[in-house]
């Protein structure tokens, strides 16, 4: 989390604090793919996203953070703050938000999840651990010149069709 | 001293499929041009692999520009030299014959969609290296879809693309890193520049300058590293607006053009997709982003394989925390195929409070029925190809479905709009063309009614949507119109 990223964010200090709590909670901690300590700069990714997003989306992001940090109350039914929850509880709440019956809640949660993923995969090291880039056996990429549909070829095709 | 910062024969606003094709034709007909683009000029080597950086450079509003609704629909558009051609998959479809027939008979556009269009297609396909996606660079996502189509006996086909020398980098959305996809910023824009056209980037055109009803130039605001400044470019022969189905009508309205249908008849091809997990490697990171499709025209949609960048794919996987991590650890095992629907809904575009634009567009019940039909078929294809589980992305269904029987049983009879996340990437209408003055903002020569020497040459002139990817149709229509414009101007010059 860099100072530049925070300065560039069109958010209040409190919202920046919320972002730092909520965005890493999608990945959480545990089995399978893990985000290593200090590997991902979530706030830099958020700043990049918000720097180019529409005004409506910027408003939506701020609302989404508010919804997420108050989710322990309105979704979890407990008078607790998001920051007081353990990592698994935070992830579980976000999971429930992403399946909420109200479209608006689901979409805002998806927006935050997408931003978190963009920040995660901005670090090349994370991408390498997912298997996303492995080439299918026998399909080695190589430079090749594809055939083009030239006038002559088109005419030939028409002649053959006739 | 001239009042203009620059003066040319034609000013073209926008460098997407429409504007760049007009530039290709008019520059080679000997006219001087200025191409004005709101976005930046990005070379292939400048396009980052990382999605957030790539989108920030080239996609309007990070794809968060959306319809005004309680259930908003994101509208995907490029914002860079090349427009949406710089972020699409280079899919080439000629305009379907039934659409051509309808445009000729109902809208009086025979001059645009007649023989002139066939000639245009042949030349464009030759120049942009159109050909089938070849098996060695197809990649697992496309090959799996082909397997599914074969198993179910569906009319699948390899996608024709304008990709010359594709290496299967799977980065069409972020921008082809080797410049293989012949989007406009690597094809017709440089070709026009070679013939003397001037390119002005980072310039938002505020208005077309009309004097006594004649378009004489444009006024724009340039914002670049050196700050911001206003410029005016004079147009001796005319101004061509090619700023998209959303922004062309807004520019015309700001410039004083009035017509009852300006901004009306907005149409699109919204789509939704299903992700499936397989036991075998799919590896979306390799292969053409889109290389296989199943046209279901009689049912009103087309199915397409669509490889996602890892960020989008990971965001599309269910859950958060431990379960999500497990799935992301196998990111190479997922395929994604979607349905793109030819919707009947008509919307409208107006100036608005947020981002300067308001788009109203709501799918009808019949449209949602097509979405349901398409997603059901995609799900069946996934299981036919061997998927172990699929994520339908339909709110009223389980998040994870593990068999075809469960899919059929749990798919709602009727989709409600909030059930499904739709994204629209093919946008049409809003300055419709018609030979009938009461039905067309522009005439059959794409000239704006009520103004002289002012033209619209992009998908906003389309009176209907197509049911296929629109880039080639836009280029064909604009090619025919530009050729005719060049001929008229040559005749005027000779006289």
């Amino acid at each position: 989390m860099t100072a530049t990223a925070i300065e560039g964010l069109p958010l209040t200090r409190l919202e920046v604090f919320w972002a730092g709590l909520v965005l890493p909670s999608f990945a959480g901690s545990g089995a399978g793919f893990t985000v290593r300590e200090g590997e991902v700069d979530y706030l830099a990714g958020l700043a990049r996203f918000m720097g180019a997003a529409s005004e409506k989306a910027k408003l939506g992001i701020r609302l989404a953070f508010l919804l997420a940090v108050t989710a322990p109350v309105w979704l979890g039914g407990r008078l607790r703050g998001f920051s007081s929850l353990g990592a698994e509880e935070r992830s579980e709440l976000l999971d429930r938000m992403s399946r909420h019956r109200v479209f608006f809640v689901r979409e805002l949660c998806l927006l935050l999840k997408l931003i978190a993923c963009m920040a995660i995969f901005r670090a090349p090291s994370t991408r390498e651990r997912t298997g996303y880039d492995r080439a299918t056996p026998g399909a080695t990429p190589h430079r090749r010149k594809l055939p083009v549909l030239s006038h002559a070829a088109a005419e030939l095709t028409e002649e053959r069709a006739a | 001293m001239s009042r203009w910062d620059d003066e040319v024969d034609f000013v073209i606003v926008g460098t997407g499929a429409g504007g760049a094709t007009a530039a290709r034709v008019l520059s080679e007909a000997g006219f001087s041009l200025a191409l004005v683009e709101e976005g930046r000029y990005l070379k292939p080597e400048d396009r980052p692999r990382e999605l957030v950086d790539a989108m920030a450079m080239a996609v309007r509003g990070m794809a968060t520009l959306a319809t005004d609704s309680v259930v908003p629909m994101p509208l995907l558009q490029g914002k860079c030299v090349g427009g949406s051609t710089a972020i699409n998959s280079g899919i080439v479809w000629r305009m379907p014959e039934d659409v051509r027939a309808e445009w000729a008979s109902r809208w009086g556009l025979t001059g645009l969609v007649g023989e002139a269009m066939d000639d245009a297609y042949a030349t464009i396909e030759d120049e942009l290296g159109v050909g089938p996606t070849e098996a060695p660079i197809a990649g697992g996502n496309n090959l799996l879809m082909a397997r599914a189509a074969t198993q179910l006996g569906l009319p699948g086909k390899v996608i024709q693309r304008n990709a010359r020398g594709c290496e299967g980098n799977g980065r069409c959305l972020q921008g082809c890193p080797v410049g293989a996809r012949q989007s406009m910023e690597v094809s017709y824009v440089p070709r026009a520049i070679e013939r003397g056209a001037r390119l002005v980037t980072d310039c938002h055109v505020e208005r077309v300058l009309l004097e006594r009803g004649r378009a004489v130039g444009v006024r724009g605001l340039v914002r670049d590293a050196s700050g911001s400044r206003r410029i005016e470019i004079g147009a001796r022969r005319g101004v061509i607006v090619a700023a998209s189905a959303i922004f062309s009508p807004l520019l015309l309205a700001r410039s004083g053009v009035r017509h009852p249908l300006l901004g009306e008849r907005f149409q699109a091809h919204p789509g939704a997709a299903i992700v499936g997990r397989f036991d075998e490697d799919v590896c979306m990171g390799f292969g053409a982003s889109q290389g296989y499709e199943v046209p279901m025209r009689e049912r009103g949609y087309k199915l397409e394989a669509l490889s996602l960048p890892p960020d989008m794919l990971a965001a599309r996987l269910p859950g958060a925390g431990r379960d999500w991590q497990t799935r992301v650890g196998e990111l190479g095992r997922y395929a994604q195929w979607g349905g793109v629907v030819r919707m009947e809904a008509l919307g409208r575009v107006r100036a608005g409070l947020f981002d300067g634009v308001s788009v109203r567009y709501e799918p009808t019940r019949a449209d949602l029925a097509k979405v349901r039909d398409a997603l059901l078929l995609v799900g069946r294809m996934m299981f036919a190809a061997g998927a172990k589980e699929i994520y339908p992305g339909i709110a009223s269904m389980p998040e994870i479905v593990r068999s075809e029987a469960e899919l059929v049983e749990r798919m709602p009879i009727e989709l409600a709009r909030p059930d499904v996340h739709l994204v629209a990437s093919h946008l049409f209408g809003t300055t419709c063309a018609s030979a009938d003055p009461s039905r067309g903002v522009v005439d059959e020569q794409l000239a704006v009614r009520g103004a002289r020497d002012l033209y619209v040459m992009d998908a906003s002139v389309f009176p209907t949507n197509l049911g296929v990817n629109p880039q080639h149709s836009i280029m064909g229509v604009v090619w025919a119109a530009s050729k005719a414009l060049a001929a008229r101007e040559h005749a005027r010059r000779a006289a």
Side-chain angles (χ1 to χ4, degrees):
Chain A
M1 143 182 353
T2 64
T4 316
I6 295 170
E7 282 164 19
L9 276 169
L11 299 174
T12 65
R13 294 180 76 84
L14 183 61
E15 287 167 333
V16 170
F17 173 69
W18 292 347
L21 287 175
V22 173
L23 293 177
S25 299
F26 284 100
S29 60
F33 167 84
T34 51
V35 176
R36 293 172 186 151
E37 188 70 31
E39 187 179 27
V40 172
D41 189 340
Y42 287 100
L43 292 185
L46 175 64
R48 189 73 164 128
F49 189 96
M50 291 190 82
S54 66
E55 293 305 316
K56 234 188 257 182
K58 286 177 192 164
L59 200 63
I61 289 166
R62 302 177 76 162
L63 192 54
F65 283 131
L66 180 64
L67 275 176
V69 296
T70 56
V73 179
W74 64 265
L75 188 59
R78 289 184 297 171
L79 204 57
R80 291 182 67 184
F82 193 82
S83 61
S84 70
L85 301 179
E88 285 203 23
E89 288 176 299
R90 290 180 193 178
S91 300
E92 191 197 326
L93 265 182
L94 292 174
D95 183 29
R96 286 176 64 190
M97 271 182 75
S98 72
R99 288 183 282 109
H100 198 270
R101 62 189 170 80
V102 176
F103 177 87
F104 174 72
V105 175
R106 292 197 306 273
E107 283 294 291
L108 290 181
C109 187
L110 178 64
L111 181 59
L112 294 188
K113 189 174 181 180
L114 181 62
I115 292 168
C117 289
M118 284 179 165
I120 290 170
F121 287 97
R122 208 177 181 210
S125 55
T126 54
R127 179 170 169 148
E128 285 165 12
R129 297 200 300 278
T130 63
Y132 175 83
D133 285 314
R134 278 195 300 263
T136 307
T140 312
H142 58 281
R143 282 190 176 276
R144 54 174 35 247
K145 180 160 173 57
L146 294 178
V148 297
L149 180 61
S150 65
H151 290 295
E155 284 162 11
L156 193 64
T157 307
E158 282 167 16
E159 280 172 21
R160 282 180 182 157
Chain B
M1 197 176 102
S2 169
R3 66 177 273 201
W4 306 108
D5 295 287
D6 193 3
E7 191 173 14
V8 290
D9 289 330
F10 289 99
V11 175
I12 300 176
V13 183
T15 59
T21 302
R24 153 71 181 83
V25 172
L26 293 173
S27 64
E28 298 199 15
F31 297 101
S32 62
L33 307 174
L35 280 69
V36 188
E37 167 59 48
E38 187 177 13
R40 298 159 65 179
Y41 176 57
L42 301 166
K43 296 176 189 164
E45 59 269 29
D46 294 337
R47 307 290 294 267
R49 183 183 68 165
E50 285 64 39
L51 187 64
V52 68
D53 299 302
M55 286 182 70
M57 286 180 175
V59 178
R60 185 175 291 281
M62 299 295 287
T64 59
L65 189 70
T67 57
D68 287 344
S69 166
V70 289
V71 186
M73 186 189 305
L75 305 162
L76 188 58
Q77 284 195 308
K79 185 186 170 187
C80 57
V81 175
S84 295
T85 72
I87 61 165
N88 70 15
S89 300
I91 299 174
V92 173
W93 268 87
R94 290 188 175 193
M95 185 182 284
E97 289 301 324
D98 59 321
V99 176
R100 290 174 72 162
E102 185 190 352
W103 284 25
S105 63
R106 279 196 60 205
W107 300 89
L109 303 176
T110 310
L112 293 176
V113 297
E115 284 178 18
M117 185 176 244
D118 290 322
D119 294 341
Y121 280 151
T123 309
I124 295 166
E125 287 159 13
D126 190 19
E127 291 180 351
L128 300 191
V130 174
T133 308
E134 296 206 328
I137 51 98
N141 196 36
N142 296 309
L143 295 173
L144 263 183
M145 191 184 201
R147 186 202 293 173
T150 304
Q151 291 199 352
L152 294 183
L154 296 170
K157 61 186 275 293
V158 166
I159 287 177
Q160 299 280 329
R161 299 182 306 149
N162 56 18
R164 184 181 271 141
C166 174
E167 295 178 359
N169 285 294
R171 284 169 55 181
C172 288
L173 174 60
Q174 296 101 311
C176 181
V178 294
R181 179 193 51 207
Q182 297 298 292
S183 42
M184 297 300 101
E185 84 282 9
V186 299
S187 55
Y188 283 172
V189 170
R191 187 169 170 147
I193 291 171
E194 273 176 27
R195 282 158 180 76
R198 265 98 75 180
L199 175 64
V200 182
T201 62
D202 305 285
C203 180
H204 171 69
V205 174
E206 296 173 321
R207 59 188 300 135
V208 176
L209 301 171
L210 293 167
E211 289 181 2
R212 290 186 296 280
R214 180 177 172 266
V216 296
V218 301
R219 178 185 300 146
L221 180 66
V222 178
R223 284 200 188 95
D224 57 20
S226 61
S228 63
R229 62 191 184 282
R230 283 215 155 65
I231 60 167
E232 290 191 350
I233 305 174
R236 288 184 289 262
R237 294 178 181 277
V239 173
I240 295 168
V241 173
S244 84
I246 295 179
F247 292 96
S248 286
L250 297 183
L251 174 57
L252 292 181
R254 282 200 304 274
S255 306
V257 171
R258 298 290 177 262
H259 190 284
L261 289 179
L262 186 62
E264 300 295 325
R265 291 189 63 83
F266 175 80
Q267 295 177 71
H269 294 154
I274 291 180
V275 171
R277 186 180 68 74
F278 291 78
D279 275 347
E280 62 194 281
D281 281 343
V282 180
C283 297
M284 286 188 189
F286 169 73
S289 295
Q290 294 194 267
Y292 198 83
E293 62 191 353
V294 182
M296 303 293 288
R297 189 162 183 79
E298 73 288 354
R299 286 157 77 164
Y301 55 82
K302 183 159 79 80
L303 309 182
E304 297 174 342
L306 173 58
S307 292
L308 293 175
D311 346 41
M312 281 189 175
L313 177 58
R316 184 63 178 76
L317 301 180
R322 196 176 290 269
D323 289 348
W324 182 78
Q325 284 180 329
T326 304
R327 290 195 173 91
V328 174
E330 297 183 323
L331 212 51
R333 296 281 173 92
Y334 295 95
Q336 180 186 258
W337 311 330
V340 181
V341 176
R342 187 183 188 195
M343 292 202 170
E344 65 177 17
L346 295 176
R348 64 123 182 89
V349 173
R350 294 272 191 281
L353 190 61
F354 285 104
D355 307 297
V357 59
S358 161
V359 180
R360 289 271 171 88
Y361 182 71
E362 291 294 343
T364 65
R365 279 178 74 178
D367 291 333
L368 290 170
K370 290 182 206 167
V371 174
R372 178 194 179 277
D373 195 30
L375 289 177
L376 186 59
L377 187 51
V378 168
R380 290 183 56 220
M381 289 177 71
M382 288 256 172
F383 287 118
K388 298 303 167 194
E389 59 185 34
I390 66 168
Y391 317 131
I394 296 172
S396 51
M397 285 184 76
E399 213 173 11
I400 302 169
V401 171
R402 293 193 168 84
S403 70
E404 185 180 343
E406 186 186 2
L407 171 73
V408 173
E409 185 189 335
R410 303 300 295 269
M411 177 67 81
I413 301 294
E414 195 170 353
L415 283 184
R417 176 64 188 92
D419 276 346
V420 63
H421 182 89
L422 294 169
V423 176
S425 58
H426 305 157
L427 316 177
F428 312 90
T430 69
T431 66
C432 275
S434 174
D436 177 350
S438 68
R439 300 176 71 203
V441 178
V442 300
D443 64 17
E444 59 272 42
Q445 295 171 339
L446 305 188
V448 174
R449 290 199 159 90
R452 282 178 293 129
D453 299 336
L454 178 58
Y455 306 87
V456 181
M457 295 196 186
D458 60 23
S460 65
V461 302
F462 283 24
T464 71
N465 55 10
L466 308 172
V468 296
N469 307 68
Q471 177 180 328
H472 205 36
S473 294
I474 297 167
M475 297 179 77
V477 164
V478 170
W479 186 288
S482 306
K483 276 272 184 196
L485 173 61
R488 290 196 305 275
E489 288 299 319
H490 280 310
R492 192 156 88 173
R493 189 186 277 176

